[in-house]
Amino acid sequence: GDSVTQMEGPVTLSEEAFLTINCTYTATGYPSLFWYVQYPGEGLQLLLKATKADDKGSNKGFEATYRKETTSFHLEKGSVQVSDSAVYFCALSVGDSSYKLIFGSGTRLLVRP
Amino acid sequence: GAGVSQSPSNKVTEKGKDVELRCDPISGHTALYWYRQSLGQGLEFLIYFQGNSAPDKSGLPSDRFSAERTGGSVSTLTIQRTQQEDSAVYLCASSPSGRGNEPQHFGDGTRLSIL
């Protein structure tokens, strides 16, 4: 079945460090890919998306490129801030009857000053 | 504008009781989803409503769980005879038309605790 695999956390970085959170997927069709973020005490928010191969999603300094050949959608940021501390979820949506989101297990990021 | 609204934000109840959770989607969004977020299982899809079509109930974990959507807007998720393993955060999301390339907009969730 369709699935998403994320690197396990927590990931602990110093401020201004480079961030990569790995995400790979398995899908029978042609999925759309998403990164959602959950800040402490808040709900899930869309961070970025990509809907076809080689698309790059970007927002708030974060980027991810839809790589069909490696079935990956890794999240990157060149210089993290303390305010980026949150849980990040990779997700896919593939057409069956509902386009429901299938989530990875989430990766907690902690950025230290 | 107003986002997805869920109520109550927290619910504590005794094992065996029934609970109802409410979701008010973004106005004009025809697609509505329920998910469950728990420590052991992560984020799981429960049920999907799209317009007047039959709902996709494939994610409901047991027949104790049911949901309805009245008038194409507000939805209620009902859990009968609650069990301790039902403790989780229940999230509602909506999207404009349910297409796969649309992001889903999430509410803040209802935290359900079963004693």
Side-chain angles (χ1 to χ4, degrees):
Chain A
D2 303 323
S3 65
V4 175
T5 302
Q6 283 182 243
M7 62 188 291
E8 290 206 13
V11 173
T12 303
L13 296 173
S14 297
E15 206 165 22
E16 299 183 2
F18 184 86
L19 169 71
T20 300
I21 300 178
N22 289 337
C23 171
T24 57
Y25 67 89
T26 301
T28 52
Y30 296 95
S32 293
L33 302 173
F34 304 86
W35 278 100
Y36 282 83
V37 59
Q38 191 169 34
Y39 297 103
E42 298 185 16
L44 274 171
Q45 303 174 23
L46 176 71
L47 182 59
L48 53 84
K49 71 171 188 176
T51 58
K52 60 184 188 296
D54 300 324
D55 270 2
K56 177 186 283 189
S58 61
N59 187 25
K60 299 181 181 179
F62 291 88
E63 293 182 340
T65 301
Y66 188 140
R67 301 286 188 199
K68 188 178 177 187
E69 64 275 14
T70 54
T71 62
S72 65
F73 192 55
H74 305 320
L75 183 68
E76 297 182 335
K77 186 174 186 183
S79 176
V80 293
Q81 305 300 311
V82 172
S83 57
D84 294 327
S85 298
V87 181
Y88 293 81
F89 293 90
C90 185
L92 68 82
S93 173
V94 63
D96 44 25
S97 63
S98 67
Y99 290 108
K100 59 183 174 285
L101 286 170
I102 296 171
F103 288 91
S105 56
T107 302
R108 183 176 298 277
L109 171 65
L110 177 61
V111 180
R112 300 190 186 279
Chain B
V4 176
S5 177
Q6 292 188 246
S7 61
S9 54
N10 285 282
K11 177 74 175 178
V12 181
T13 193
E14 293 179 347
K15 177 181 171 182
K17 300 286 189 183
D18 297 352
V19 295
E20 284 190 354
L21 312 179
R22 176 188 167 103
C23 172
D24 203 339
I26 293 172
S27 178
H29 282 193
T30 62
L32 186 148
Y33 302 79
W34 283 97
Y35 295 87
R36 179 169 69 174
Q37 186 175 23
S38 57
L39 279 176
Q41 302 298 322
L43 273 155
E44 307 171 278
F45 165 77
L46 296 177
I47 189 168
Y48 161 78
F49 296 91
Q50 167 61 301
N52 295 321
S53 302
D56 177 356
K57 304 179 183 179
S58 60
L60 295 179
S62 78
D63 58 8
R64 296 185 296 105
F65 288 72
S66 63
E68 62 177 20
R69 188 178 186 191
T70 53
S73 180
V74 171
S75 177
T76 303
L77 177 69
T78 301
I79 309 173
Q80 296 179 310
R81 305 180 302 281
T82 51
Q83 304 294 312
Q84 287 188 331
E85 62 262 28
D86 300 334
S87 295
V89 177
Y90 289 82
L91 296 169
C92 179
S94 70
S95 70
S97 60
R99 283 194 289 269
N101 58 358
E102 294 174 345
Q104 295 177 22
H105 301 264
F106 284 81
D108 288 340
T110 295
R111 182 175 298 276
L112 177 64
S113 301
I114 310 299
L115 302 179

